Amino acid sequence: MLSQQYKNMSSLIELRDIKKSYEDDGVSTQALRGINFSINQGEFVSIMGPSGSGKSTLLHILGLLDKPTEGKYIFSGQDTTQFTEPYAAHFRNEEIGFIFQAFHLLARSTVLENVLMPMQYSRIPKSQHQARALEALEKVNMTHRLKHQPSQLSGGERQRVAIARSLVNNPKVLMADEPTGNLDSQSGKSVMEIIDSLHKQGHTIIVITHETPAARYAQRIIRVQDGVITTDEEGSVVHGHNHNGYEK
């Protein structure tokens, strides 16, 4: 069972009986069947599950890309299910940093331009944009590629740029969707070590993955199957075990 230390702390994220159904030609499919958990500021959580388990639907709700059919999603004390779509978009840009399997970098923009982009829609003064972008790129060891375009980078380098882009607005939480899914084992290891270092710097991190080596970096692993949570327990890193499952 999950350690009592997590239950006693104040929550950044709280899901209360979250359900999600989809209608298709009059047929209702229940993707989530009553999800309950909380995540505290500074936690590193992996959400695992096979294809069709509901983990992608759960990520879309956590990232305010979709709304639940039933239940409440409390983020930083606010009931997100009451958000209008424009406010949800604004909130998402300010408070959540996304890292995707497919990177989603702008092909004709440089590394620096890609990382600058989220700040165009933020309240951060323009005078600070360049410095913040460079600081984020320094955190992922990519300052030597500022003028390169994504096509000139390896997959691991593209994902590091995507991580830098997710950091520039100083979000409350980083959400990574299969961040190692398009990478070889060595690049995947490098990316997870960067994500792990961000957690050690105080960032709250949620990683959605079906890859055990990636999940093992987390303090806590939530497993989802058929739209319900099957286990919610401390990860191996909490107990001091070797959580590096990637081959060298």
Side-chain angles (χ1 to χ4, degrees):
M1 292 296 293
L2 186 62
S3 168
Q4 197 65 31
Q5 65 174 310
Y6 295 130
K7 297 178 182 178
N8 292 337
M9 296 166 67
S10 60
S11 300
L12 173 65
I13 283 172
E14 188 175 352
L15 300 189
R16 301 176 186 168
D17 200 27
I18 293 291
K19 297 176 183 175
K20 181 65 180 181
S21 299
Y22 295 101
E23 298 285 337
D24 186 18
D25 290 333
V27 178
S28 179
T29 302
Q30 204 166 9
L32 299 176
R33 303 168 181 268
I35 299 288
N36 293 278
F37 65 79
S38 59
I39 295 174
N40 301 307
Q41 183 76 42
E43 261 196 277
F44 184 171
V45 178
S46 283
I47 299 175
M48 294 192 74
S51 179
S53 62
K55 68 181 187 299
S56 294
T57 301
L58 183 54
L59 176 73
H60 287 159
I61 289 171
L62 286 167
L64 300 179
L65 299 167
D66 200 358
K67 284 190 174 185
T69 310
E70 295 180 42
K72 282 197 173 186
Y73 172 21
I74 310 297
F75 187 113
S76 199
Q78 297 188 60
D79 181 359
T80 67
T81 55
Q82 303 301 313
F83 287 0
T84 63
E85 188 51 48
Y87 185 74
H90 167 76
F91 190 90
R92 189 166 56 235
N93 188 57
E94 297 263 321
E95 306 290 2
I96 301 170
F98 289 101
I99 305 162
F100 297 101
Q101 177 176 345
F103 319 130
H104 294 329
L105 300 176
L106 298 175
R108 297 186 181 182
S109 297
T110 65
V111 162
L112 182 59
E113 288 165 348
N114 267 283
V115 176
L116 285 166
M117 186 188 65
M119 289 184 285
Q120 294 176 17
Y121 311 101
S122 74
R123 290 176 289 188
I124 297 165
K126 194 157 189 178
S127 59
Q128 296 179 20
H129 287 194
Q130 182 98 351
R132 290 182 74 138
L134 291 172
E135 182 185 358
L137 284 161
E138 192 171 340
K139 285 186 176 182
V140 300
N141 304 316
M142 284 298 292
T143 52
H144 62 300
R145 294 277 197 262
L146 296 182
K147 296 182 180 179
H148 287 64
Q149 292 185 338
S151 62
Q152 298 170 298
L153 306 176
S154 69
E157 287 175 328
R158 289 182 209 178
Q159 192 59 294
R160 282 152 61 186
V161 174
I163 293 170
R165 182 186 57 193
S166 77
L167 289 170
V168 289
N169 283 347
N170 194 27
K172 282 197 170 75
V173 62
L174 298 178
M175 296 187 186
D177 184 13
E178 301 283 3
T180 60
N182 280 349
L183 306 177
D184 60 54
S185 60
Q186 188 57 44
S187 297
K189 177 176 179 286
S190 174
V191 162
M192 288 310 303
E193 285 176 348
I194 287 170
I195 291 174
D196 190 40
S197 73
L198 293 172
H199 168 242
K200 288 171 180 170
Q201 292 167 35
H203 292 278
T204 305
I205 294 170
I206 301 172
V207 172
I208 304 281
T209 184
H210 69 276
E211 297 182 347
T212 301
R216 283 179 180 158
Y217 281 82
Q219 295 173 300
R220 176 179 166 200
I221 299 174
I222 297 172
R223 288 184 171 84
V224 180
Q225 178 82 42
D226 298 327
V228 298
I229 293 174
T230 57
T231 61
D232 182 348
E233 58 197 6
E234 291 175 344
S236 58
V237 65
V238 174
H239 302 291
H241 297 164
N242 177 14
H243 59 283
N244 175 12
Y246 287 99
E247 296 175 10
K248 292 186 178 179

